[in-house]
Amino acid sequence: MTEHSAEAAIPRATASSATMTSVMIYSIAFVTGAIVMSFEMLGSRYLNPYFGSGIYTWASLISTVLMALTLGYFLGGWLADRTASLNVLAVTVLVASVYMLVLPSFAQPLLELLLADIDDVRTGSLVASLAILLFPVTFFGMYSPFAIRLMLRSAQSSGMVSGTVYGVSTFGSIVGTLGTTFFLIPTIGTRAITLWLGAAGVACGLILLALGRTERKAGAAAVALLIAIVVATIPASAQEALIDESVRAEILKRKDGRLAHVESEYNDIYVTKRRSQLIMTFQLKGWDYTESITNLEDPDDLPLHYSQVMTAASLLYPTEVKRILMIGLGGGSISTYYGRAMPDVHIDTVELDQRVIDVAKQFFALRETPRVRYIAADGRVFLNRSKDQYDLILLDAYRGGYVPFHLLTREFYTLVKSRLSPGGAVAFNVHDGTKLYHSTVKTLSEVFPIVDLYPSGMGEVIATLSADPKFNRDALATRAAALQQRYNFRFPLPDVLKRRMPNPQGEAKGGVTITDDFAPVNLYDTIDAPKPKRKK
């Protein structure tokens, strides 16, 4: 390379601006490296619901990324030798980034098409991985050889320049891998992460365009455009819809009947369509248990009566609700109902079975956003590990027809109580008519000074609990009216309040305190108890 050709690679500039250009090129190498590996980790979230999380899926993802980087290195080197330009490099980054911004809009129908046409999981996972990852990673892979060509001043510095570019890029890959798996995936959803990666790539492309301009005004305009795009992206992500209406519309067009059967280590999960309703059931010991029903035509509808009554918990919280914890997901009807009605609330939903989360996202069209996230964990383990406090905690953790015993004990309720913010409230879904029901009410009453019961009329009772012994029940009607006026709940809170039992203490009679040491819940669940007369 001659000195003249090296100078042509980067426009003439002052020493300070040349240094700034070098720093930015190295910095973008770091960012593109992080995007590539972050996207590889994210690829598993795209493929797992369709082709599983086994070794074939991961082999396909790793092979696809290596193949794409190989193509990118060759193409980047070839193109750089013919046109060493910052503007051309910017275009390669922008092409890959724009692809990532539009990927969430077509990924699901594409993967469903491949799933329907390819029966072999090995072939299917490889083809799907190529379809999702090959194009953008190839273009991002072009960055390193192109950047080296731009940075070279002489043959004597080629080793240092090459080593620095690839070293910085690899370090970015490490950060992208750990950051995505340790922080981003547990915090926000796949769609939001993809959009943020695409936005970061667009920012890098615009910076490269700005560096390629010789006139300050043009560079300043590009930077201003970059800032505008980033600022516009933040509220768009924060206010992202909680469900994908297009997915539900497509499912609505399908014939009635079973749409899916997914086996997990915990459940046999069935998804069935019945006219406008989508139903999730678990099969346990030959019995089908309805876990969730969604109205595909009306995202604010709650077809199951008990889920309508779960909103009674908000009547016990005296101030504005900011954080909600939901233990038990199903099809996500309750968390979606709260999230849509209360647009400022942050909701963590903890579900033991990762495949339930996958099915809820795939068929019930749930989306994760910065304020609504879905966490695969045991509810009690999550509360033990997390020190976060919540204004409302909603418990609906049924596996088939029963709640795991460790979520029914005095020790567990004490743990829940410790995770409430001052004045916080709890709602617990309990099946009535057995000794377990009366024992649950008795145990709850020993932990929480305020226990109210709301029969759903369909065999369930919602227990609402407050840790504030001075809570004034006389204020419930006023509170219900004020909340209804503010949030316009589909199922009015004043109507829900009418279901409250006048004497909840009587429901504890005949019950036995359930503890970690003594919890014969399976036996108590089979012993019938006389039902007291209740006001309907």
Side-chain angles (χ1 to χ4, degrees):
M1 181 191 305
T2 66
E3 293 295 327
H4 181 269
S5 62
E7 290 177 359
I10 298 179
R12 294 181 180 274
T14 64
S16 60
S17 63
T19 301
M20 177 59 68
T21 298
S22 299
V23 169
M24 294 308 302
I25 289 176
Y26 285 131
S27 299
I28 294 173
F30 173 88
V31 174
T32 55
I35 291 174
V36 167
M37 289 308 298
S38 178
F39 192 41
E40 179 178 355
M41 296 297 102
L42 197 61
S44 66
R45 310 296 281 193
Y46 279 102
L47 267 62
N48 286 359
Y50 302 90
F51 301 100
S53 57
I55 191 172
Y56 299 126
T57 298
W58 279 107
S60 298
L61 289 169
I62 294 171
S63 299
T64 297
V65 170
L66 292 175
M67 186 186 308
L69 290 176
T70 300
L71 289 173
Y73 294 156
F74 278 115
L75 290 174
W78 174 82
L79 184 62
D81 284 341
R82 284 156 179 77
T83 173
S85 166
L86 281 168
N87 291 334
V88 174
L89 180 58
V91 170
T92 65
V93 174
L94 287 171
V95 168
S97 303
V98 170
Y99 173 93
M100 296 186 70
L101 289 175
V102 300
L103 174 62
S105 65
F106 69 82
Q108 183 163 344
L110 173 62
L111 291 170
E112 289 181 351
L113 177 64
L114 294 176
L115 180 64
D117 291 345
I118 304 175
D119 294 328
D120 181 65
V121 67
R122 292 172 295 184
T123 303
S125 60
L126 180 58
V127 173
S129 181
L130 290 170
I132 296 295
L133 275 75
L134 183 66
F135 181 84
V137 176
T138 296
F139 275 82
F140 280 126
M142 295 172 66
Y143 185 87
S144 292
F146 211 115
I148 292 170
R149 175 66 177 82
L150 289 173
M151 296 291 293
L152 279 179
R153 299 292 180 176
S154 66
Q156 286 77 13
S157 64
S158 59
M160 185 62 185
V161 170
S162 300
T164 303
V165 169
Y166 280 108
V168 168
S169 178
T170 302
F171 181 61
S173 297
I174 296 172
V175 173
T177 301
L178 297 177
T180 300
T181 54
F182 284 21
F183 299 105
L184 293 181
I185 289 178
T187 303
I188 60 177
T190 301
R191 179 185 177 90
I193 298 173
T194 306
L195 293 176
W196 276 108
L197 293 178
V202 168
C204 291
L206 292 176
I207 290 173
L208 290 171
L209 284 177
L211 293 174
R213 301 289 186 180
T214 56
E215 297 181 6
R216 291 184 178 180
K217 290 184 179 180
V223 172
L225 179 61
L226 160 64
I227 295 173
I229 290 178
V230 172
V231 170
T233 303
I234 293 174
S237 297
Q239 299 175 6
E240 190 176 356
L242 302 184
I243 60 171
D244 191 328
E245 297 279 10
S246 63
V247 172
R248 290 196 173 184
E250 288 299 320
I251 293 178
L252 190 60
K253 296 176 184 177
R254 296 191 186 185
K255 295 181 179 179
D256 287 356
R258 181 172 297 170
L259 302 185
H261 171 207
V262 178
E263 296 182 16
S264 74
E265 59 182 309
Y266 301 104
N267 301 294
D268 269 330
I269 308 164
Y270 294 88
V271 178
T272 305
K273 179 179 177 290
R274 187 171 59 208
R275 295 182 293 278
S276 63
Q277 291 186 340
L278 193 65
I279 305 163
M280 178 186 289
T281 58
F282 291 170
Q283 190 174 86
L284 192 67
K285 297 180 180 179
W287 291 86
D288 286 324
Y289 297 91
T290 299
E291 299 296 322
S292 187
I293 300 179
T294 291
N295 186 341
L296 295 171
E297 295 179 335
D298 185 352
D300 294 319
D301 189 17
L302 293 172
L304 291 175
H305 288 268
Y306 86 89
S307 57
Q308 302 171 15
V309 186
M310 287 286 281
T311 56
S314 57
L315 296 175
L316 298 182
Y317 190 67
T319 57
E320 185 176 4
V321 174
K322 291 295 185 182
R323 298 198 68 189
I324 295 176
L325 173 64
M326 177 90 195
I327 297 180
L329 174 64
S333 299
I334 297 174
S335 57
T336 300
Y337 181 84
Y338 261 114
R340 286 172 59 87
M342 307 171 76
D344 296 326
V345 73
H346 287 253
I347 303 174
D348 291 339
T349 301
V350 177
E351 165 59 48
L352 174 66
D353 194 340
Q354 176 63 54
R355 300 310 297 272
V356 170
I357 298 176
D358 296 339
V359 169
K361 289 181 177 180
Q362 180 181 351
F363 292 96
F364 291 79
L366 299 190
R367 285 177 172 173
E368 289 193 66
T369 73
R371 69 182 185 92
V372 177
R373 60 176 184 159
Y374 303 103
I375 304 163
D378 178 280
R380 185 161 177 174
V381 173
F382 174 83
L383 286 173
N384 272 319
R385 292 177 175 175
S386 173
K387 303 304 180 184
D388 292 337
Q389 291 192 316
Y390 296 89
D391 304 324
L392 297 182
I393 297 180
L394 313 176
L395 296 110
D396 187 28
Y398 277 83
R399 184 187 176 198
Y402 70 92
V403 178
F405 89 90
H406 66 296
L407 303 183
L408 288 169
T409 66
R410 182 173 59 196
E411 290 83 356
F412 173 66
Y413 298 148
T414 302
L415 174 62
V416 170
K417 182 179 178 181
S418 70
R419 297 296 182 262
L420 288 174
S421 60
V426 181
F428 195 101
N429 179 22
V430 188
H431 285 180
D432 68 354
T434 67
K435 186 173 182 177
L436 178 59
Y437 162 68
H438 295 288
S439 298
T440 299
V441 175
K442 178 178 176 61
T443 308
L444 288 169
S445 299
E446 292 183 1
V447 177
F448 293 92
I450 300 297
V451 178
D452 281 338
L453 301 176
Y454 293 78
S456 72
M458 300 297 290
E460 306 96 353
V461 174
I462 303 302
T464 62
L465 319 159
S466 173
D468 181 7
K470 297 180 179 180
F471 183 83
N472 181 14
R473 286 188 173 94
D474 294 336
L476 286 174
T478 302
R479 173 79 174 151
L483 285 173
Q484 185 61 35
Q485 183 177 8
R486 178 171 182 178
Y487 294 113
N488 192 29
F489 288 108
R490 170 67 180 275
F491 298 94
L493 286 176
D495 292 344
V496 173
L497 180 59
K498 294 176 183 178
R499 294 179 174 271
R500 187 171 71 92
M501 291 184 189
N503 181 30
Q505 292 79 11
E507 301 295 303
K509 293 181 179 179
V512 176
T513 302
I514 302 172
T515 66
D516 284 349
D517 180 59
F518 181 75
V521 296
N522 292 335
L523 175 62
Y524 287 179
D525 201 25
T526 63
I527 301 176
D528 292 333
K531 293 184 178 180
K533 294 182 179 180
R534 296 173 183 161
K535 181 180 178 180
K536 293 184 179 180

